[in-house]
Amino acid sequence: MNITIEKMSALDIEKINLNDFDNFWTIGILRKELENPLSFYIVAKCENEIIGFAGLNFVLDEAHIANIVVKTDKRNMKVGSTLLEALIKKAEENSTLITLEVNEKNTVAIHLYQKYGFTVTGHRKKYYENQYDAYIMTKNFNTYD
Ligand SMILES: CC(C)(COP(=O)(O)OP(=O)(O)OC[C@H]1O[C@@H](n2cnc3c(N)ncnc32)[C@H](O)[C@@H]1OP(=O)(O)O)[C@@H](O)C(=O)NCCC(=O)NCCS
């Protein structure tokens, strides 16, 4: 599959049908994020079809992964890896570390983050639906650590 990564545009958002993405995010938040100068959002496309999207928020010298989601019928085809590589590259230009929260039950996402050098650095109790814990996972760009 030929995957291309582009900065997300307002037109891209109109084309996203969240039903195809497990309703993992909301269009309203995406629109707001696009206007936020401290956010960086990208889409993955294949032959002009949006097959994934992901975003970063910058806070001081840290980059926080707000989300990374792939179309349900395009998973396990390296789209998530390609999106994550693009986020890491952008974060590395501007930040000393990149971090995120992930549901402790989300084995696929945890595997993906570990593959790119993220390690568990913390734990948030009942972070999801007041039920499931979150792991905080971090990748440090500071070579002195
Ligand atoms: C997490 C997500 C983005 C991954 O996207 P993807 O395109 O399927 O990811 P890739 O194909 O690049 O990689 C998937 C990896 O998980 C592995 N994997 C697949 N099923 C797995 C399982 N049940 N347990 C562990 N690893 C698994 C694959 O083998 C692959 O690893 P590899 O590259 O070492 O072979 C996608 O599953 C998704 O959109 N999930 C819903 C949203 C979500 O949970 N986002 C994360 C929020 S923190």
Side-chain angles (χ1 to χ4, degrees):
M1 187 165 47
N2 185 25
I3 307 166
T4 56
I5 299 290
E6 296 172 16
K7 253 193 112 175
M8 185 184 276
S9 70
L11 192 61
D12 288 331
I13 294 177
E14 303 315 314
K15 288 184 191 160
I16 291 172
N17 179 357
L18 286 177
N19 286 331
D20 299 335
F21 294 84
D22 273 348
N23 290 305
F24 211 76
W25 207 228
T26 78
I27 295 296
I29 293 176
L30 282 178
R31 288 198 187 109
K32 274 202 177 126
E33 287 287 71
L34 215 59
E35 290 166 12
N36 181 351
L38 295 177
S39 294
F40 173 77
Y41 270 71
I42 52 175
V43 288
K45 292 186 181 175
C46 179
E47 287 164 11
N48 238 11
E49 176 192 0
I50 297 173
I51 54 174
F53 59 90
L56 284 178
N57 301 124
F58 292 101
V59 183
L60 302 174
D61 65 336
E62 295 186 8
H64 183 263
I65 297 184
N67 215 333
I68 174 163
V69 55
V70 173
K71 222 171 188 177
T72 44
D73 65 353
K74 297 290 187 299
R75 290 184 186 166
N76 250 323
M77 299 179 191
K78 306 293 175 208
V79 183
S81 298
T82 309
L83 283 163
L84 184 56
E85 281 171 22
L87 293 187
I88 292 170
K89 186 164 176 275
K90 180 70 178 179
E92 201 164 12
E93 291 167 8
N94 301 280
S95 316
T96 57
L97 64 85
I98 179 168
T99 188
L100 58 98
E101 281 95 13
V102 59
N103 191 318
E104 59 172 356
K105 305 281 182 209
N106 194 343
T107 46
V108 179
I110 291 167
H111 172 89
L112 182 66
Y113 296 131
Q114 283 174 333
K115 191 173 81 171
Y116 283 92
F118 288 76
T119 55
V120 174
T121 50
H123 207 203
R124 294 195 206 282
K125 290 272 175 210
K126 297 189 177 180
Y127 187 77
Y128 296 101
E129 300 151 41
N130 202 25
Q131 189 178 359
Y132 303 108
D133 292 358
Y135 290 137
I136 301 167
M137 297 187 76
T138 302
K139 177 181 170 72
N140 234 305
F141 299 128
N142 189 337
T143 48
Y144 297 108
D145 285 350

